[in-house]
Amino acid sequence: KNTRILVSACLLGVNCRYDGKNGRRDEVLRLLREYELIPVCPEQMGGMETPREPSECRRDGGRVQVMNRKGRDVTEYFEKGGEEALKIAKLYGCRYAILKERSPSCGSGIIYDGTFSGTKTAGDGMTARLLKAHGIKVVGESGISSLISEISSDMMDDNIKFTEE
Ligand code: SF4
């Protein structure tokens, strides 16, 4: 059975980005030779239209809030989008995800800080955080090679377990 990887749809060339464009990356598309890629766009799945105002996450006490550039609280859409992406990951049995870096939904490790000034900060987008909390290994588009090595070593472990049983 092919390994399935959840992927941000904009990286595969879908025009789902806030500006109605995509962020197609050939190195992601090339993975189709060996893996099944399952596209998701959490912002669209959360009910947001395209194009839309860009949004950023910010911390409000312990809670993460997502605000769009016009100051509207859009957290609900982002939470819903994360839940929908998680449902699809579970439905297709994805243990891995390649998600667009720095997005307030998909970003992992580093995101924009909520000031709309291009300043980055440590943190995860809403979807990336939820997927990680459910045990899915999430990398950005620059982490593809490390993900591939991890997948191979997981497959070796799985084979060892299988032959031992
Ligand atoms: Fe791409 Fe994720 Fe933003 Fe959708 S939510 S446009 S998949 S970065």
Side-chain angles (χ1 to χ4, degrees):
K1 181 178 120 199
N2 280 346
T3 302
R4 292 175 176 155
I5 307 176
L6 200 75
V7 179
S8 293
C10 58
L11 290 173
L12 292 169
V14 178
N15 291 334
C16 52
R17 239 167 50 173
Y18 74 93
D19 56 3
K21 296 183 178 152
N22 65 74
R24 190 189 124 135
R25 297 290 290 257
D26 290 342
E27 65 272 35
V28 179
L29 280 166
R30 273 199 290 274
L31 295 172
L32 278 168
R33 291 183 198 144
E34 272 190 70
Y35 303 97
E36 269 185 62
L37 305 183
I38 310 295
V40 287
C41 175
E43 288 175 31
Q44 288 193 333
M45 293 189 306
M48 303 198 81
E49 49 193 30
T50 307
R52 55 190 169 274
E53 285 295 321
S55 302
E56 292 190 6
C57 298
R58 69 172 196 202
R59 284 217 170 264
D60 176 27
R63 183 174 172 259
V64 178
Q65 229 185 354
V66 192
M67 305 294 286
N68 78 12
R69 197 170 46 187
K70 290 203 165 143
R72 179 171 165 219
D73 184 341
V74 288
T75 313
E76 249 180 80
Y77 295 98
F78 279 70
E79 286 173 347
K80 169 96 166 71
E83 282 158 21
E84 294 299 317
L86 178 62
K87 261 191 227 167
I88 291 180
K90 286 186 174 165
L91 190 65
Y92 286 95
C94 302
R95 289 157 70 187
Y96 312 97
I98 301 170
L99 300 185
K100 176 77 188 77
E101 287 164 5
R102 296 180 298 279
S103 148
S105 301
C106 294
S108 58
I110 299 172
I111 52 172
Y112 291 112
D113 73 347
T115 59
F116 294 92
S117 61
T119 314
K120 291 168 208 146
T121 183
D124 290 329
M126 299 292 261
T127 297
R129 179 154 14 92
L130 189 66
L131 296 180
K132 285 180 182 178
H134 284 81
I136 296 171
K137 165 81 190 171
V138 179
V139 298
E141 60 275 24
S142 59
I144 293 176
S145 48
S146 74
L147 185 74
I148 300 306
S149 351
E150 189 151 342
I151 293 176
S152 330
S153 84
D154 286 351
M155 279 168 82
M156 270 166 31
D157 290 351
D158 289 351
N159 286 340
I160 293 167
K161 268 188 221 144
F162 183 72
T163 37
E164 279 173 352
E165 274 164 18

